[in-house]
Amino acid sequence: MELSEIADRVARVREQMAKAAAQAGRDEKEVLLLAATKMNDAQRVREAIAAGVDVCGENRVQELQEKNAQGAYEGCPLHFIGHLQKNKAKFLVGTVELIHSVDSPELMHTINRLAEQRGLTQDILIEVNVGGEAAKSGIPPEAADEMAAEMAEYPNLRLRGFMTIPPISTENGGNLRYFAKMYELYVDIKAKKYDNTNIDCLSMGMSDDFADAIKEGTTMIRVGTAIFGSRQYVKN
């Protein structure tokens, strides 16, 4: 893909975001556009930033480290959006603004300890497995309230909200019910104002379904393919 095509793709995504927001009676500025930059090199990331994405998000710790060393994310907030193992949290705490994929008390404890050691507060999202899929990470929706309440035990963490990846749908609007369920959970827990929380982020919606997510209340969409094109996976 020519680099200029990335800017064209970002513009098209912005148009679709604006249309979905208008249909829902929302201000398009309420929704942040995160570029999911997995398997895209530093130059392509810089092009997406120049085209006006709001946030960059990486799925893999090693890839994030490599591109960060090349200055790939300069001028743009950096988030981690992939599954996170406890032994790799040390590479992210204090480096990324937001970790989207916190899915256990054990991981919360690890991140809190690292943040305390470094004298900072790390913002996190709790990942919710809204479809109850065995192959996906995340806590059950019914456990989200209890986990948010436990934030009082982690003075060096700040819960900013929730992230989810719904089941793959083959039909238009197939994920609307999952997005609606997550929005209801988000609003309910936000209203409780638990300690060490500042809930203002609901991260849901990707290339195939972000318009539906916007209609159901997301505040951040994570878009990869619609910005960068299909990823080319290399077989070993």
Side-chain angles (χ1 to χ4, degrees):
M1 183 194 300
E2 295 287 338
L3 289 180
S4 61
E5 287 190 56
I6 292 177
D8 291 340
R9 285 174 174 267
V10 170
R12 287 199 294 270
V13 169
R14 287 287 189 193
E15 290 173 1
Q16 293 170 313
M17 291 173 66
K19 181 179 178 181
Q23 291 174 344
R26 302 183 65 192
D27 184 341
E28 63 187 278
K29 295 179 182 177
E30 295 175 6
V31 185
L32 295 178
L33 173 56
L34 179 150
T37 51
K38 180 174 72 172
M39 297 181 68
N40 286 280
D41 63 24
Q43 182 56 42
R44 290 168 66 82
V45 173
R46 293 188 194 102
E47 180 69 13
I49 294 171
V53 301
D54 298 304
V55 183
C56 289
E58 284 291 351
N59 289 71
R60 300 170 178 170
V61 173
Q62 183 176 350
E63 188 175 348
L64 182 150
Q65 290 179 289
E66 291 171 354
K67 285 190 275 194
N68 202 27
Q70 298 169 35
Y73 315 108
E74 288 181 5
C76 193
L78 175 60
H79 294 184
F80 185 76
I81 61 176
H83 178 67
L84 179 59
Q85 298 172 326
K86 294 194 298 292
N87 65 342
K88 294 188 176 180
K90 61 188 176 182
F91 301 115
L92 300 180
V93 174
T95 296
V96 300
E97 290 194 10
L98 187 63
I99 299 172
H100 287 225
S101 48
V102 177
D103 60 359
S104 71
E106 293 79 14
L107 182 55
M108 288 170 70
H109 178 80
T110 297
I111 296 172
N112 183 74
R113 175 177 53 80
L114 291 164
E116 181 181 16
Q117 291 172 355
R118 297 171 189 185
L120 55 88
T121 299
Q122 178 65 57
D123 284 346
I124 65 168
L125 302 181
I126 291 173
E127 182 175 1
V128 178
N129 186 346
V130 70
E133 297 175 278
K136 282 185 179 173
S137 303
I139 65 169
E142 57 270 21
D145 186 81
E146 180 180 358
M147 195 162 173
E150 291 174 355
M151 287 297 301
E153 301 174 19
Y154 303 104
N156 290 85
L157 299 184
R158 180 167 49 225
L159 178 62
R160 294 284 303 281
F162 302 93
M163 183 268 267
T164 197
I165 304 172
I168 295 173
S169 176
T170 57
E171 57 189 63
N172 290 335
N175 284 330
L176 284 167
R177 63 191 178 102
Y178 294 114
F179 293 145
K181 182 175 183 177
M182 278 302 305
Y183 182 72
E184 183 179 351
L185 181 149
Y186 163 79
V187 170
D188 179 59
I189 296 177
K190 179 178 181 177
K192 295 181 179 179
K193 299 185 184 299
Y194 289 125
D195 289 346
N196 300 327
T197 68
N198 180 22
I199 295 177
D200 62 358
C201 182
L202 180 57
S203 172
M204 63 182 190
M206 297 188 287
S207 289
D208 291 336
D209 57 15
F210 68 77
D212 285 342
I214 290 171
K215 293 171 187 176
E216 294 298 334
T218 189
T219 70
M220 182 181 299
I221 59 173
R222 307 181 307 275
V223 180
T225 301
I227 291 175
F228 298 105
S230 297
R231 297 183 180 96
Q232 300 299 313
Y233 292 93
V234 179
K235 294 182 180 180
N236 292 325

